[in-house]
Amino acid sequence: MSSPLAPYLPMAVALLVAGVLALLMPGLASLLGPRRPSAIKSSTFEAGSESTGPARQRFAVKFYVIALLFIIFDVEAVFLYPWAVNFQALGWFGYWEMVVFAATLVVGLIYIWKKGALDWES
């Protein structure tokens, strides 16, 4: 007599192993790892240079705009993979749909470029 949950057993085992490893590895690292603290190791640094200014310093909106634009174009680029996999099955209709999609991306890129959103020194 087989349980209806039997097909999920391998997934449950994988999740259990992942959970145990997630707890075991940091625990073993803290127990067995080297402990040689020093003033230099405890000092704060950012990308190899000394920290200056307050921690709550304001950033220009330009950094956030660039990050959002990167995410938008990166997520849209993800749509290219399924299209490429099914390229033959989609035929000419799929080809022209991707041309319209890519043209929309290019128009958006030209727009933000002309608006100066990609210029760092503005």
Side-chain angles (χ1 to χ4, degrees):
M1 191 89 169
S2 178
S3 171
L5 297 178
Y8 296 105
L9 182 63
M11 185 174 65
V13 170
L15 288 173
L16 180 68
V17 168
V20 168
L21 285 177
L23 295 173
L24 185 69
M25 297 299 257
L28 286 175
S30 65
L31 289 175
L32 302 175
R35 288 185 202 86
R36 295 186 196 115
S38 68
I40 294 174
K41 289 181 183 179
S42 298
S43 66
T44 57
F45 67 95
E46 179 68 32
S49 59
E50 291 292 325
S51 300
T52 58
R56 300 285 181 194
Q57 177 180 349
R58 290 182 179 246
F59 287 100
V61 175
K62 181 73 64 182
F63 292 110
Y64 301 110
V65 170
I66 294 293
L68 286 173
L69 291 174
F70 173 76
I71 290 171
I72 288 170
F73 283 101
D74 194 41
V75 167
E76 289 175 349
V78 168
F79 289 114
L80 292 174
Y81 181 73
W83 171 77
V85 169
N86 294 321
F87 179 70
Q88 287 182 334
L90 294 173
W92 284 105
F93 176 75
Y95 173 76
W96 289 111
E97 287 290 324
M98 188 52 69
V99 167
V100 170
F101 179 74
T104 306
L105 290 179
V106 169
V107 168
L109 180 62
I110 291 170
Y111 175 76
I112 62 173
W113 198 334
K114 293 289 185 186
K115 283 292 204 177
L118 300 176
D119 296 334
W120 284 103
E121 293 87 21
S122 61

